[in-house]
Amino acid sequence: MIERVLQTLVDVVSVGGLYALTALGIGLIFGVMRLINFAHAQLIMMAGYAILVLFSQSVPLAIAAAAVVAILLALGTERVVFRPLRDADPATLLIASFALSFFIEKTMIMLVGSRPKGVDFLPELARQIEVAGVRLQLLQIVTIAVSGALLIATTWFLRSTKLGLEMRAAAENFRMAQVLGVRANRVIAVAFAMSGILAAAVACLFVAQTGLVQPRMGLQLVVIAFVGSVIGGLGSLPGAALGGFLVGAATILLQTLLPAELRVFREVFLFVAVALVLLLRPQGLIPAPGLKARV
Amino acid sequence: MIGAGPVLEAKPDRRALVSVQGLVVRYGPITALRGVDLEIGAGECVAIIGPNGAGKTSLVSAIAGLVRPAAGKVVLDGLDVARIGLADVVRSGVALVPEGRNIFGSLTVAENLRLGATPRKDDRIAPDIDEIFQRFPILGQRRSQHAGQLSGGEQQMLAIARAMLSRPRLLMLDEPSLGLAPMVVDGVYELLADIKQQGVALLVVEQNATRAFGLADRVSIFGHGAIQLSGAPDAIAADTNFDAAYFGAAYADRGAPA
């Protein structure tokens, strides 16, 4: 029994961590640009393909390539698609991100086909290890460790560096931050680069978990993580991480606790829970401070 | 241009820091400024007085680069503000304390101040912030608290201190006494007098004329998107046209078609 509980707990934390990283990547961009970037899914997907191409040569090289590809794609889409729309209203930005997301996904389907490709990435992590008498998958421990480390690193960056301070100010009131001398291009580029790094980390963990790469990967992660960041409080980074974590955790708990015949309807229960949270706290669990009038 | 007179004739201390030339600002069909000319010299204190809706905020917004003029221009150190990026206006020496102060409520008092020093690269920032904490002990005591928890008057002091940390040559304040108790307003104007003493030029926009009159070297009465009357405070106060300019502008604004 204890073993079952502990295993479920590790499941919950590792899946929750993956969604928290995804939600944080989305939240960083929303914070500085009020853009809900659905193309975040394609950052994860392209990083996945970078792993597919290089994993058989060298694992560190594949991880580095995943990061470089995701960062460059994030910066490139910012420059080409989102910068010209910077003063557009959030609805325009949202639709642009949908268009971009479809464009990259369909282009990849055209180039490599839509069939999933198997990737035997980090097979050694599939090994079970015994911790205090409980058998756990090593990959889950790694997922928890990486998620935790990246959440801490992001928090440190935002709290303790000059650029992090500028990003938090820009997230609360971009115009006033600019009046004080904060450069919009720099802050936004850093946010995109960070979202690229987070997407690459999610891609590595997700590919190691599923062993598959396909043009549609990432979309489900991003949709669920987005729902999580709404629950947590759009525009609030702790809220995004917490909401992403809770939604990821809830899927695992529902999977475990629901009777077998109801498990197919897991998402229904999840979204009912989401609707309830939003009924009670429409502004999210940790509301953002700055979603009000600008200068 | 070589050997041309004006360069040699210009006295450095008299040269305009900011020169507003034929400035027109429109928001859609509404014209907020209808051709405003104004010069502010180094260390000079100019007060802009006028009723609500006279275009005062549009003027400081245009100087700060927040709104783009429909015609005319704002020249800062010989450069057209419209060509300077918004974030670089403060690097040219112009700081703005906007109406409503716009402190970052989710950041701490100390973080708000550090942001004020964004354009600076020197290592005097921490001592400067300590100096502010000495002058305003309440800000020092609350340095680690969220700035949103400060009172209105404390937020105004924080906003002015934050703007001063960029070491501006011109500090613009939009309605610095708005919504503050009279005693708090005294404190704000004492601080502004100190800043003026330091040789920083001031552009103070107010609805309430009395305070600004005591501080300013020059007053411009704004109404209807234009300067109605301009001169030394004493002269303006004595001018029989003052009431007409101020209140006339107020009534004209009220009755004017948009």
Side-chain angles (χ1 to χ4, degrees), chain B residues 112-175:
Chain B
N112 268 277
L113 291 172
R114 286 220 302 278
L115 273 166
T118 301
R120 284 170 57 180
K121 301 230 184 306
D122 59 276
D123 51 4
R124 289 275 313 153
I125 296 169
D128 282 0
I129 290 178
D130 282 340
E131 212 168 283
I132 288 165
F133 288 153
Q134 268 164 31
R135 160 135 201 186
F136 304 103
I138 188 80
L139 295 183
Q141 285 156 28
R142 302 190 166 193
R143 68 180 79 190
S144 307
Q145 279 182 32
H146 286 177
Q149 294 169 351
L150 298 177
S151 72
E154 289 157 9
Q155 289 189 8
Q156 185 63 272
M157 295 302 184
L158 176 62
I160 296 172
R162 180 180 68 178
M164 285 304 293
L165 276 165
S166 69
R167 291 189 171 155
R169 285 177 295 155
L170 169 65
L171 177 67
M172 300 193 293
L173 302 105
D174 194 356
E175 306 261 11

Side-chain angles (χ1 to χ4, degrees), chain A residues 158-162 165-166 168-170 172-184 186 289-290 292-295, chain B residues 64 66-67 86-88 90-91 94 96 98 101-107 111-112 114-121 162-163:
Chain A
L158 291 171
R159 295 247 157 255
S160 310
T161 66
K162 190 173 182 224
L165 176 62
E166 292 180 11
R168 284 186 293 141
E172 183 174 333
N173 186 337
F174 210 120
R175 297 276 273 174
M176 192 60 219
Q178 285 179 287
V179 165
L180 293 179
V182 171
R183 293 188 203 272
R186 200 164 72 132
K292 46 184 191 250
R294 309 289 184 91
V295 177
Chain B
L66 279 162
V67 295
L86 178 51
D88 286 325
V90 66
R91 290 180 173 81
V94 174
L96 169 68
R101 308 181 278 268
N102 282 292
I103 55 126
F104 297 97
S106 69
L107 305 184
E111 285 172 340
N112 268 277
R114 286 220 302 278
L115 273 166
T118 301
R120 284 170 57 180
K121 301 230 184 306
R162 180 180 68 178

